[in-house]
Amino acid sequence: MVMIKKSVLFVLILSGLALTCEAQEKWISLFNGKDLNGWFIHGKAQWSVQNGILTGEGGMGHIYTDVACTDFEAKGTFRVSENGNSGFYFRSNPPADNPDGFPRGYEAQICNSQDAYTGWLWKPGTPTGKATELLTKDGEWFVYRIKSVGGHIQFWINDKPVMTYDDAEYKSGHFAIQGHNPGMKIEARDLFYREIEKAK
């Protein structure tokens, strides 16, 4: 009888710990699916919400989250039109001398028509961390997941790891989505993040 009680107590403790961990790891939404509340815009691209989807069209520009992070995991579902070029930025900030210019930070590339394709890590204007393979196509939805802790950066596409790179130039900043060339469209939904506390 004593052994049974101890076993039950042990299970309850483990369950409590699991619930505590789950609460700490909850994903927080970046996009409410209704409007652009929680975001700010720089550049010429036009941003709107269409049928619950964050949509960018009309040329070069970026939409930034009000949220800024240092160490985190983030994910989103994206679709880019034919010959489109975009990116899911993190630890990024508008340049002080030209707020409409390219963000100063890291970019998870979204482009299926060039050598440094979707899955590559870019720094401003420069392909930096190579993706292992191209897993995406124009006009098709895919899930991007990124993790950045200290200088260690990882990307997954549709839950498959595609890029790992170490770089510590940019420490903290906003998430952002890029509109690039006129005539293209970038769409995003199911955008979430969770902060990661590094072990002391």
Side-chain angles (χ1 to χ4, degrees):
M1 189 69 175
V2 173
M3 287 296 295
I4 292 172
K5 285 182 179 179
K6 284 184 177 178
S7 298
V8 170
L9 181 61
F10 183 69
V11 169
L12 288 172
I13 290 169
L14 284 179
S15 299
L17 287 172
L19 287 171
T20 302
C21 292
E22 187 177 340
Q24 290 173 345
E25 296 176 356
K26 273 190 177 177
W27 291 95
I28 301 168
S29 178
L30 290 165
F31 173 51
N32 64 19
K34 299 175 183 178
D35 54 40
L36 301 180
N37 186 44
W39 298 77
F40 62 96
I41 296 169
H42 285 293
K44 294 181 179 179
Q46 301 296 309
W47 299 92
S48 62
V49 179
Q50 302 177 15
N51 300 316
I53 297 169
L54 178 60
T55 304
E57 302 174 273
M60 177 63 72
H62 300 83
I63 185 167
Y64 295 80
T65 62
D66 291 341
V67 169
C69 284
T70 299
D71 298 310
F72 66 88
E73 190 170 9
K75 61 183 178 180
T77 303
F78 298 88
R79 178 169 65 181
V80 69
S81 61
E82 186 176 358
N83 295 319
N85 188 340
S86 182
F88 184 24
Y89 284 77
F90 55 99
R91 289 185 181 171
S92 67
N93 296 284
D97 60 343
N98 179 19
D100 291 340
F102 287 101
R104 293 295 176 260
Y106 299 109
E107 176 188 4
Q109 172 76 315
I110 300 174
C111 180
N112 307 312
S113 58
Q114 62 180 355
D115 291 339
Y117 45 75
T118 305
W120 275 68
L121 170 71
W122 282 60
K123 290 168 72 174
T126 306
T128 303
K130 183 178 181 179
T132 54
E133 58 184 310
L134 178 61
L135 298 174
T136 57
K137 294 180 180 179
D138 292 345
E140 293 185 4
W141 289 102
F142 70 93
V143 178
Y144 228 143
R145 181 162 59 92
I146 60 180
K147 186 176 181 180
S148 186
V149 180
H152 192 59
I153 301 167
Q154 298 168 277
F155 294 169
W156 293 259
I157 291 177
N158 296 331
D159 289 327
K160 184 172 184 178
V162 294
M163 199 290 306
T164 299
Y165 196 80
D166 290 303
D167 187 285
E169 181 174 357
Y170 300 105
K171 309 297 184 186
S172 183
H174 305 270
F175 300 105
I177 301 171
Q178 179 188 74
H180 194 277
N181 45 295
M184 63 149 284
K185 179 191 287 188
I186 178 66
E187 298 171 284
R189 55 182 170 83
D190 303 325
L191 297 163
F192 297 90
Y193 80 102
R194 55 186 175 190
E195 294 191 76
I196 296 172
E197 186 175 343
K198 288 194 292 184
K200 301 293 185 184

